Structure formats: structure tokens, C-alpha cells
Amino acid sequence: MAGKSQGERRIGLLNGFAAYGMWGLVPLFWPLLKPAGAVEILAHRMAWSLVFVAVALVFVRRWAWAGELIRQPRRLALIAVAASVITVNWGVYIWSVNTGHVVEASLGYFINPLVTIAMGVLLLKERLRPVQWTAVGVGFAAVIVLTVGYGRPPWISLVLAFSFATYGLVKKKVNLGGVESLAAETAIQFLPAVGYLAWLAAQGKSTFTSEGTGHAALLAATGVVTALPLVCFGAAAIRVPLSTLGLLQYLAPVFQFLLGVLYFHEAMPAERWAGFALVWLALTLLTADAWRSARRSRVAEFSVRQVEKPKSAAVDA
């Protein structure tokens, strides 16, 4: 990142704001698709996302990865797992927004970093720093408080957080670019999605053909709504430091939370505020610790470069 110009970093930041801003405002889009149900919307999202991404890949002429992927059964299996968990994530999210649970959905993306850390410990045997352990403990306390407040576990938040954390873990192992990965995942999703939509049409229950051209266009736009933020995120990821992206990621749940409270007027009794406050405290601890760690790494790297400079000068002489 050190070699990036100021202009490149500015473009990266703008793309980062655009990506997380779109993800944060997407709760405004899903209600526009009613009277389509959550499963029909999900099927359209899977089908049209492949169409949009395929057109983008044709335009940029990036297809070499597909042949390599087909020859690697293990990576294909991981892509299938990623497609499965993101299908669950998308479906639950669409359903939660359209049934008045935007705030609880936003909580899922607030606690996602905590779940990711917990999975790293349990599955990858990663070692945590004391502050990270504290943050995870505070996050666990938040879930208990919210369980009492809701009168049930916040299952929407937990499903969204665990499915997205699993998705991120699998994608890391696949090691494929964002647009390419989405193309591979939606290619797996495409036939089941189209099959379901064909069945709906045969049953006379499809809203795609019965609710007018505008409704059909909105359903088709689910592909753009899915893929465009990912394209912006990809442009940001190569231009700004990971620590900056880590901070920007909180924009999406913040926007979603504000929409839930201020626009959709969802209830926020005292115990829910208490639960969210604990989550925000945990995230503050995590963020501060990450910044401190990144700063130490930069200082150490700078010190190593300063030590190596005289050595290289001596060799040149």
C-alpha cells in the first residue's frame, strides 16, 4: 500500500464508502420487491447475479481462472460450500428485512467480527491477545442480554453472523477474486434458482410475470444490487490498507441499524440498547487493539528498513 499514490488511495476510499454504503442502504430495496416472497426474491438474486457478473467478465475478458478452477475438485467443493452458506445468509437477510427485523439483522453484521475471531480460535487454533479475549467475552455477554431482551436467542443475528463468518473462512481458503468467486458461486446456485422460478411460474405463483414490467425490472435488478457493491469493494481492497477497510466495514451495520430505528421505526427497549452497547464496546476494544497491533508492525517494519539501508549502501560501495 505504501507505493499507492494519494489519488489511488482517494479512489480506493470512495469505492470503499460506496460498497459499504450500498450494503448499508440495501434494506430500503428489498421491501420494493413485495408482493414477492423472500424465497422468490432470493432465487431471482441468485439467477440475475450470475447474468450480471458473466456480462462483466465478458467485458473485461477474465475467464482463465474458470478453466483452472474446473480442474481442481477441492476448490470446487469449497466454492459449493461458500455458495450454500451465502444462500442461507441472503435468504435470512431478505426475510428479516421484509418482516420487520432490520435492527436484529444489523446486529448480525456488528457481531460478525467477534464470531470470526471465535471461529479462528475453535477451528484454526489461533491464539488471541488478552484484549481480543475480553472483546469476545463482552460479545458473549451481549448475546445473553439480548436473549433476555428478545425473550429468545437473537437467532437472525446469529445465523447471519455465523453464515457470513463461515463464508469468509471458506473464501479465504479458495483464494479467488471477489467477482470471480461470485461468478463461480452463482453458477452453482443458478440451476436450482431457475428451477424454483420455473416451478413457481408453472404453479401460477410467480410475481415476475404477474405484477407488471416495473416489478419484473426490480427483480432483475437484484443482480446489480448484489454485484455492484462487490465490484466497488474489490476496487477499494487493492488501494487502501486492510486496517482502513476494517473500519469501513462498520458503516454497513450502522446504516442498517439507523434505518431500522429511524426509518422502519422498530422498537428499541432498554435491554436491547444495553445489548447493543455491549456489542459496540466489544467492537471498540477490537478496533483499538487492531490499530495498536498495526502501528507496532509499521514501526517494526520501518526500523528493519532503517537498519538494512546502511548494509545495502555498504554492499553497493
Side-chain angles (χ1 to χ4, degrees):
M1 291 297 173
K4 298 293 181 184
S5 69
Q6 195 69 28
E8 281 284 289
R9 284 195 293 271
R10 191 177 297 113
I11 291 171
L13 274 176
L14 289 174
N15 275 283
F17 277 113
Y20 287 108
M22 283 186 277
W23 280 324
L25 296 176
V26 78
L28 295 173
F29 178 71
W30 303 126
L32 299 177
L33 304 180
K34 294 178 179 179
V39 181
E40 182 181 1
I41 296 171
L42 173 63
H44 276 285
R45 185 179 190 181
M46 294 190 294
W48 290 107
S49 293
L50 178 61
V51 173
F52 181 86
V53 174
V55 170
L57 289 173
V58 167
F59 182 76
V60 298
R61 298 180 181 178
R62 289 213 313 252
W63 289 105
W65 61 271
E68 296 174 7
L69 184 62
I70 290 171
R71 293 190 293 270
Q72 297 175 312
R74 183 176 177 277
R75 290 181 79 196
L76 271 177
L78 289 172
I79 288 286
V81 172
S84 300
V85 293
I86 203 61
T87 297
V88 172
N89 183 275
W90 287 355
V92 171
Y93 187 77
I94 293 167
W95 177 86
S96 65
V97 169
N98 283 1
T99 54
H101 296 89
V102 176
V103 169
E104 191 175 348
S106 74
L107 176 64
Y109 293 103
F110 275 125
I111 66 175
N112 177 66
L114 300 171
V115 172
T116 299
I117 287 175
M119 289 178 67
V121 172
L122 295 174
L123 300 179
L124 304 179
K125 308 302 180 185
E126 293 179 355
R127 300 183 65 181
L128 299 187
R129 295 184 290 273
V131 175
Q132 291 175 311
W133 276 116
T134 303
V136 171
V138 172
F140 183 73
V143 171
I144 294 174
V145 170
L146 288 164
T147 297
V148 173
Y150 279 107
R152 58 170 175 80
W155 70 268
I156 293 173
S157 308
L158 294 173
V159 169
L160 291 174
F162 275 93
S163 60
F164 200 73
T166 303
Y167 179 67
L169 180 66
V170 173
K171 281 177 72 74
K172 184 178 290 189
K173 290 183 175 294
V174 171
N175 193 26
L176 197 61
V179 176
E180 292 87 347
S181 181
L182 182 63
E185 291 154 21
T186 51
I188 290 171
Q189 295 171 329
F190 185 77
L191 286 180
V194 170
Y196 177 76
L197 293 173
W199 178 82
L200 269 187
Q203 296 292 313
K205 297 178 181 179
S206 172
T207 64
F208 185 73
T209 54
S210 63
E211 296 295 323
T213 305
H215 180 72
L218 283 172
L219 285 171
T222 54
V224 180
V225 169
T226 299
L228 188 57
L230 188 64
V231 172
C232 292
F233 174 79
I238 61 174
R239 291 178 172 89
V240 297
L242 193 60
S243 57
T244 303
L245 278 181
L247 286 179
L248 287 177
Q249 74 172 328
Y250 297 128
L251 282 177
V254 165
F255 286 164
Q256 292 165 12
F257 175 79
L258 292 175
L259 283 174
V261 174
L262 302 177
Y263 182 80
F264 293 104
H265 304 293
E266 294 184 17
M268 279 295 291
E271 58 271 19
R272 290 186 196 172
W273 279 113
F276 270 85
L278 286 173
V279 170
W280 294 333
L281 172 61
L283 293 177
T284 301
L285 291 172
L286 272 186
T287 303
D289 182 66
W291 272 99
R292 192 180 300 112
S293 177
R295 188 172 178 277
R296 286 174 181 167
S297 297
R298 286 195 297 269
V299 169
E301 185 180 341
F302 178 78
S303 300
V304 169
R305 286 203 302 267
Q306 292 300 106
V307 170
E308 288 178 348
K309 274 183 181 178
K311 292 182 180 179
S312 60
V315 170
D316 291 340

